[in-house]
Amino acid sequence: MKAFNISRYKKERELQLVDLPEPIVKDDEVLVEIHAASVNQLDSKIKSGEFKLILPYKMPLVLGHDVAGVIIKVGSKVKKFKVGDEIYSRPADFHIGTFADYISINEEYIALKPKNLSMEEAASIPLVGLTAWQALVEKSDVKKGQKVFIQAGSGGVGVFAIQLAKYLGATVATTASEKSFDLLKNLGADIVIDYKTQNFEDVLIDYDVVLNSQDDKTLIKSFEVVKPGGKIISISGPPTPVFADEFNLPWYVKLATKFLSGKIRKIAKKQNINYAFLFMTANAKQLTEITKLIESDKIKPVIDKVFPFEKINEAMKYVESGHAKGKVVIKIK
């Protein structure tokens, strides 16, 4: 099969097109013929080595964390799926590799594809959908009437999180450039702040939840808009010792997280704000809940561009540029 991989960590290095054997299917796995994948910032961060302490991958490595496709083979112990099923998935860490013709995935990380989505649309959902779900539903338990601030609303996570927060009954604020205002208001944003001309900390007050996806400077400013007892969930760091314990990371990584998050945890404690770092994990049950929202038209995919498989490096560069509105998808079949 054809696949795009990396042989070492390097930010500027392009993915290499290689020929690999078809994946071996274990008893609890299915073999998926990949129709579409999507590119995430996580792919870029892994390529550059940014997450090598948290995710120490062996090289060479096929990247890709989202997939939509058709099951063409099932392992002997697979009970939930059959050959011919159209599925989508965010494969588990250390079992990624959707920038390829095929991938074998444990059935525990697979959900049936939403019936009302194309393969390309479905491939845009799993990673960002699960990230938003775990931030707003699992960690924040957002309730009707609460106020939620989602940074970078036109990004992949942002466009999904705005819709989910609105579905949960929250008042939703976000930041974007003016050219994205109409899109974000149509998705459900109540307050859209132009980050080029306004400071969000001058506009927002007494928010219950902030979903932080930006740098440390923006994170620190976020504490100014959260009320005491509120929550800040960050998907861009810094990671905390609690996260290191949850992921059972080595002692030296735990020590590193203690130093990296020391300043933020001190601010959070002083202001009585709950700070947590979220590193999204694969979860088919949550993905199935997301499917229900999509099939009932509560949440819609937002795709900026679809690239052919052979143009995957162009797609990576476009995502890295930060200019994409919504998701960037790779059409493989």
Side-chain angles (χ1 to χ4, degrees):
M1 70 171 186
K2 299 291 185 185
F4 279 91
N5 73 4
I6 56 171
S7 54
R8 59 191 173 98
Y9 293 122
K10 192 169 184 182
K11 189 173 183 178
E12 295 81 16
R13 188 176 177 85
E14 291 192 340
L15 278 62
Q16 305 298 307
L17 180 61
V18 294
D19 284 304
L20 296 175
E22 188 178 286
I24 295 169
V25 182
K26 296 178 182 176
D27 290 345
D28 55 359
E29 292 180 339
V30 302
L31 184 64
V32 179
E33 179 184 62
I34 301 174
H35 285 231
S38 75
V39 181
N40 295 282
Q41 288 286 353
L42 181 57
D43 296 301
S44 177
K45 289 179 178 181
I46 288 177
K47 178 168 72 85
S48 67
E50 195 171 325
F51 283 140
K52 62 185 176 184
L53 285 178
I54 297 172
L55 297 171
Y57 278 107
K58 294 179 181 177
M59 298 293 166
L61 172 67
V62 178
L63 290 172
H65 292 78
D66 282 318
V67 60
V70 178
I71 294 175
I72 59 171
K73 190 184 294 184
V74 297
S76 60
K77 294 181 180 177
V78 170
K79 296 175 181 177
K80 302 174 188 174
F81 301 94
K82 64 184 185 302
V83 171
D85 282 345
E86 295 187 345
I87 61 89
Y88 71 152
S89 172
R90 193 291 202 186
D93 293 323
F94 301 106
H95 298 278
I96 64 169
T98 65
F99 296 165
D101 290 324
Y102 305 98
I103 186 172
S104 58
I105 312 173
N106 188 299
E107 70 169 333
E108 291 301 316
Y109 302 112
I110 293 171
L112 291 172
K113 179 181 78 65
K115 295 183 180 69
N116 56 337
L117 296 190
S118 67
M119 287 291 185
E120 290 79 23
E121 289 171 328
S124 75
I125 296 292
L127 186 142
V128 297
L130 288 169
T131 299
W133 184 276
Q134 289 168 22
L136 301 179
V137 177
E138 298 293 318
K139 283 193 174 290
S140 300
D141 191 24
V142 170
K143 294 284 193 286
K144 185 176 181 180
Q146 289 189 320
K147 297 196 292 186
V148 177
F149 172 39
I150 295 160
Q151 296 167 4
S154 63
V157 172
V159 294
F160 193 100
I162 288 170
Q163 296 179 82
L164 180 59
K166 199 64 187 173
Y167 167 76
L168 295 170
T171 296
V172 184
T174 191
T175 49
S177 61
E178 193 173 358
K179 61 186 177 182
S180 299
F181 278 21
D182 288 344
L183 167 66
L184 301 182
K185 286 176 181 176
N186 286 335
L187 294 178
D190 299 287
I191 301 165
V192 187
I193 299 163
D194 187 343
Y195 71 88
K196 293 180 179 178
T197 61
Q198 294 174 284
N199 296 316
F200 67 80
E201 66 273 22
D202 296 334
V203 179
L204 309 178
I205 188 169
D206 285 342
Y207 269 65
D208 297 280
V209 178
V210 172
L211 178 53
N212 175 73
S213 58
Q214 305 301 295
D215 57 18
D216 285 353
K217 184 179 176 183
T218 305
L219 173 58
I220 289 170
K221 288 196 292 185
S222 297
F223 281 90
E224 298 179 36
V225 310
V226 182
K227 66 184 184 183
K231 298 173 182 176
I232 296 179
I233 311 298
S234 178
I235 59 174
S236 58
T240 63
V242 171
F243 157 75
D245 284 335
E246 287 174 350
F247 273 65
N248 197 28
L249 298 174
W251 67 269
Y252 54 88
V253 179
K254 292 179 182 179
L255 187 63
T257 62
K258 188 174 182 179
F259 286 108
L260 288 169
S261 64
K263 182 179 179 180
I264 295 300
R265 288 185 292 113
K266 188 175 180 180
I267 296 171
K269 186 176 182 180
K270 185 178 180 181
Q271 298 188 25
N272 187 28
I273 292 169
N274 298 296
Y275 170 77
F277 172 68
L278 171 65
F279 194 85
M280 188 277 296
T281 52
N283 189 306
K285 288 181 180 178
Q286 293 172 3
L287 196 56
T288 300
E289 291 301 311
I290 289 167
T291 299
K292 294 175 187 175
L293 295 180
I294 292 170
E295 290 185 342
S296 59
D297 289 326
K298 299 292 190 298
I299 292 179
K300 300 178 187 299
V302 179
I303 294 176
D304 186 314
K305 287 185 180 182
V306 178
F307 288 81
F309 191 34
E310 63 271 16
K311 302 273 189 177
I312 205 161
N313 283 301
E314 288 183 27
M316 288 282 289
K317 287 171 185 171
Y318 186 56
V319 169
E320 290 166 354
S321 75
H323 297 314
K325 291 182 185 179
K327 290 301 298 289
V328 172
V329 174
I330 308 297
K331 182 176 175 62
I332 296 173
K333 187 174 178 64

